[in-house]
Amino acid sequence: MPSFAALLFAATLLPLPATAQDAPLTTVSERSGFIQTGRYDEVVALCTAFAQRYPDAVHCIDFGTTPEGRPMKALVATRSGAFTPEQARAKGIPVLLVQGGIHAGESDGKDAGFLALREALDGKAASGALDKQVLLFVPMFNIDGHERFGRWNRPNQRGPEEMGWRTTAQNYNLNRDYLKADAPEMQAMLALVNAWDPIVYVDLHVTDGAKFRQDVSYQIEPVHAGDMQLRTDGLALRGAIVEAVAAQGAHPLTFYPSFVEEDNPASGFVDGVAPPRFSHGYFQLRNRFGMLVETHSWKEYPVRVKITRDTIVALLEQTALHGHDWLRDAHAADDRAAKLGGKPVALDWKATDKVRTVDFLGYAYTRTPSDISGALMTHYDEDTPQLWTLPLRDEIVPGRSIVAPKGGYLVPAAHAAWVGEKLAQHGIGFRKLGAALPAAKVETFRADQASFDATSVEGHQRLALEGGWKPETRDVAAGALFVPIAQPKARLVMALLEPQAPDALAAWGEFNNAFERKEYMEPYVAEEVARGMLAKDPALKARFEQKLREDAEFAASPRARLDFFYRLHPSWDERYNLYPVVRTATVPAAR
């Protein structure tokens, strides 16, 4: 059962008269005292009811359909009169997109969002904020997962009584899908984003993890990564949200509270920049703000909903105050991004070894050997608050950087259809070549090493490549795609097409065929070829003998010894380990 303090939070949150408790704009969650959460039919009903109650301020729209056939709902809320993307752009109105339920068991965002929206519309919170922005509220992103409803879907979370499931009906984790965009739900969300171009995208979650007293964390990018001016804006936004929710009694963090060593508080924390499979790693590549909100799973549901409600209200207030400035800075960042050709660009980020200590609100705990698991197990005493002093590494620097191509990328005709579809999903500009480019001077990437993951991840066999770009002359057939680097989404282009980027198409295994050997030379044939080559080329014979002496692994492998010669023979597949996409320093003529 929720604690008395949590129930007190709930009681003070909604001072509604009894006659209003059953009003159609309240949720199952409110009416239950934040013990339960509603189902999908409630989202459909409330979306319609809000639009009917506030016809001058709310429109209810569908923006997609789930694999199980359910319409995906969003509420467009504003008093600016800008109810379409075109109207918002024409008026220069900033758009704030708040999304709940990407992990459907984490329903805080849905229930808090409806509450915050009603209060904003009634002038009880963020008064006047909707005059200066458009709020796009997606109460339930993973709808099919939400309808896989059950009491034990979140065993590491306190409340609500029943909740949805983490993944979609196709078992996709949507918060690993922003860049690869496999799921129909994600493709629909990206279409909504492309249409409305929100300046801030807020992704509402609940943590997993240890037991402690900190109750919410905020991660925003750009802060550590992305455009420099937007980092300044992002840092100020994060600070303002932290200050606002702390003033309401919360204990916020600015890093994700996952221990370096699982379940060992003394190991501390490492901050970082999420790769673009995650929402808050994705939007900085578009020169927009991505914000991850994580309430703590061991806080009672009334407490978590209140904190999430306070967060949304603070975001509405900040967007009203600074949204136009953010838009100005984002458009300037778009211009700067279009000039990244020939400059180094970080593909990923890492924390340095620099450590500082932070105070952290925890509980007394012990770590003792378990006769069940055989491992050290942590036991938390929630009746004994304790202040932990823990190490934190939060100095973030680029990990792998690469110089952007001066012209762009060329995707061969054989891959143009599916890559073009993926680029279009992200709103990236490209065009198809109407004529061939014979003997084009390009850069090619040949892998020195290709390592396939042993297990499937999100339905993919991931691939890690070692190698580099080198100048080469190659024929490029008509029908290839030219993807210019000179566009606002230049960082997003590189995230998709640089083969060593963490969530590139290549990293997700979409080009695995290029790194699989398809033709072979029989050993007896290779023996004959090798003897002939050795007889004709004394220098080659010396190289072979030296490698035998200096490389024990090579000397012990008959396959490697024969391949030494096969790789020098005209029958060797020159496309083996050749990444199909090439880079160009020039812009092909339009034909």
Side-chain angles (χ1 to χ4, degrees):
M1 291 293 292
S3 68
F4 175 77
L7 291 174
L8 184 61
F9 264 136
T12 58
L13 190 60
L14 271 176
L16 294 174
T19 55
Q21 293 297 318
D22 295 322
L25 298 191
T26 59
T27 60
V28 166
S29 183
E30 291 178 68
R31 296 193 295 273
S32 70
F34 300 98
I35 303 301
Q36 301 171 336
T37 193
R39 301 290 293 270
Y40 168 70
D41 58 356
E42 177 182 65
V43 170
V44 175
L46 283 174
C47 192
T48 300
F50 267 86
Q52 291 174 343
R53 177 75 63 86
Y54 307 97
D56 61 334
V58 179
H59 287 185
C60 175
I61 65 170
D62 293 357
F63 67 95
T65 304
T66 72
E68 291 186 337
R70 297 181 177 95
M72 300 175 71
K73 295 289 186 179
L75 288 82
V76 183
T78 185
R79 295 196 184 278
S80 70
F83 287 104
T84 68
E86 296 76 16
Q87 289 170 341
R89 277 191 289 274
K91 291 172 177 275
I93 301 293
V95 177
L96 169 67
L97 195 157
V98 175
Q99 164 206 287
I102 190 170
H103 293 153
E106 303 165 20
S107 53
D108 305 26
K110 168 170 62 74
D111 293 328
F114 278 123
L115 171 59
L117 176 58
R118 189 186 68 232
E119 292 183 332
L121 289 165
D122 289 342
K124 296 178 180 178
S127 180
L130 290 175
D131 296 345
K132 300 176 181 179
Q133 67 192 290
V134 175
L135 170 65
L136 286 182
F137 176 44
V138 178
M140 188 186 292
F141 186 7
N142 176 15
I143 294 170
D144 292 345
H146 191 280
E147 292 307 279
R148 185 180 168 182
F149 213 63
R151 187 173 290 270
W152 289 104
N153 285 348
R154 291 279 292 166
N156 310 305
Q157 177 178 299
R158 286 188 174 131
E161 285 182 348
E162 295 180 284
M163 70 287 288
W165 188 253
R166 183 178 184 85
T167 57
T168 71
Q170 296 175 330
N171 212 32
Y172 283 117
N173 183 340
L174 290 175
N175 202 31
R176 306 295 184 273
D177 200 39
Y178 278 87
L179 198 62
K180 62 185 177 64
D182 288 330
E185 295 96 329
M186 184 57 72
Q187 293 170 15
M189 179 61 77
L190 290 176
L192 185 71
V193 166
N194 289 336
W196 283 93
D197 191 20
I199 186 62
V200 184
Y201 184 101
V202 183
D203 190 4
L204 302 172
H205 285 254
V206 182
T207 65
D208 288 305
K211 292 182 178 180
F212 44 73
R213 289 179 290 147
Q214 308 281 174
D215 46 27
V216 63
S217 68
Y218 301 107
Q219 289 177 280
I220 298 178
E221 293 298 339
V223 165
H224 302 298
D227 182 83
M228 293 302 295
Q229 177 57 50
L230 293 184
R231 294 189 203 187
T232 300
D233 293 342
L235 186 62
L237 170 59
R238 189 182 72 180
I241 300 302
V242 165
E243 182 179 358
V245 297
Q248 297 297 317
H251 304 293
L253 297 167
T254 57
F255 56 88
Y256 189 86
S258 179
F259 299 134
V260 173
E261 297 174 18
E262 185 177 8
D263 220 15
N264 181 9
S267 66
F269 308 101
V270 177
D271 201 2
V273 175
R277 71 188 70 173
F278 299 97
S279 61
H280 58 305
Y282 174 78
F283 279 90
Q284 57 99 358
L285 300 175
R286 300 177 70 117
N287 307 312
R288 304 297 184 264
F289 299 103
M291 180 177 184
L292 176 69
V293 180
E294 293 269 4
T295 54
H296 185 43
S297 61
W298 291 110
K299 297 298 178 184
E300 297 90 342
Y301 195 52
V303 176
R304 300 202 319 266
V305 171
K306 179 183 185 301
I307 292 170
T308 306
R309 173 264 179 203
D310 292 344
T311 300
I312 295 169
V313 169
L315 282 161
L316 287 168
E317 292 171 341
Q318 288 299 308
T319 304
L321 286 171
H322 303 294
H324 287 92
D325 294 334
W326 297 340
L327 278 180
R328 179 199 64 221
D329 290 347
H331 294 152
D334 288 345
D335 293 339
R336 288 189 289 272
K339 299 172 184 175
L340 284 174
K343 299 177 182 177
V345 175
L347 298 182
D348 56 22
W349 302 80
K350 63 183 181 181
T352 69
D353 293 332
K354 183 178 180 180
V355 178
R356 65 186 180 97
T357 57
V358 293
D359 290 338
F360 195 89
L361 302 176
Y363 297 107
Y365 68 93
T366 59
R367 282 175 58 77
T368 55
S370 167
D371 58 353
I372 302 295
S373 69
L376 278 179
M377 294 301 295
T378 305
H379 303 272
Y380 298 95
D381 179 3
E382 293 182 84
D383 292 325
T384 309
Q386 196 174 75
L387 183 66
W388 298 341
T389 301
L390 301 180
L392 170 64
R393 291 164 49 207
D394 62 350
E395 181 181 67
I396 310 300
V397 297
R400 187 192 299 271
S401 292
I402 192 84
V403 174
K406 292 182 178 179
Y409 297 85
L410 293 167
V411 180
H415 295 279
W418 73 266
V419 174
E421 181 179 353
K422 195 60 57 182
L423 296 171
Q425 287 168 0
H426 293 281
I428 289 171
F430 64 93
R431 60 180 169 87
K432 182 179 289 188
L433 300 186
L437 301 176
K441 295 185 184 301
V442 297
E443 288 180 295
T444 60
F445 184 99
R446 292 181 182 272
D448 300 322
Q449 182 176 340
S451 302
F452 298 94
D453 274 7
T455 57
S456 173
V457 179
E458 290 292 302
H460 292 258
Q461 184 184 27
R462 284 180 56 84
L463 174 66
L465 297 173
E466 294 298 329
W469 294 100
K470 295 179 181 177
E472 194 170 326
T473 299
R474 296 193 74 85
D475 294 335
V476 178
L481 304 182
F482 172 62
V483 188
I485 198 68
Q487 58 178 305
K489 297 186 180 75
R491 289 185 180 89
L492 190 55
V493 170
M494 296 183 70
L496 282 164
L497 297 181
E498 279 296 329
Q500 294 177 300
D503 285 328
L505 298 175
W508 281 106
E510 299 290 2
F511 292 102
N512 278 5
N513 257 346
F515 305 95
E516 298 172 6
R517 194 163 156 187
K518 305 292 187 177
E519 187 58 88
Y520 301 88
M521 183 180 283
E522 294 289 352
Y524 69 88
V525 175
E527 284 274 352
E528 294 176 4
V529 166
R531 295 187 187 282
M533 295 172 74
L534 289 171
K536 291 179 181 178
D537 192 339
L540 177 63
K541 184 174 185 294
R543 280 173 50 205
F544 177 63
E545 291 173 348
Q546 181 182 8
K547 193 165 181 64
L548 287 175
R549 290 192 304 270
E550 298 177 354
D551 189 338
E553 184 177 353
F554 172 79
S557 171
R559 172 76 173 271
R561 290 167 68 153
L562 291 176
D563 274 358
F564 176 89
F565 300 98
Y566 183 21
R567 289 172 181 271
L568 299 173
H569 193 267
S571 63
W572 179 257
D573 180 9
E574 67 89 20
R575 294 187 185 182
Y576 174 54
N577 277 347
L578 175 66
Y579 176 51
V581 178
V582 301
R583 302 180 2 151
T584 175
T586 59
V587 176
R591 299 179 188 177

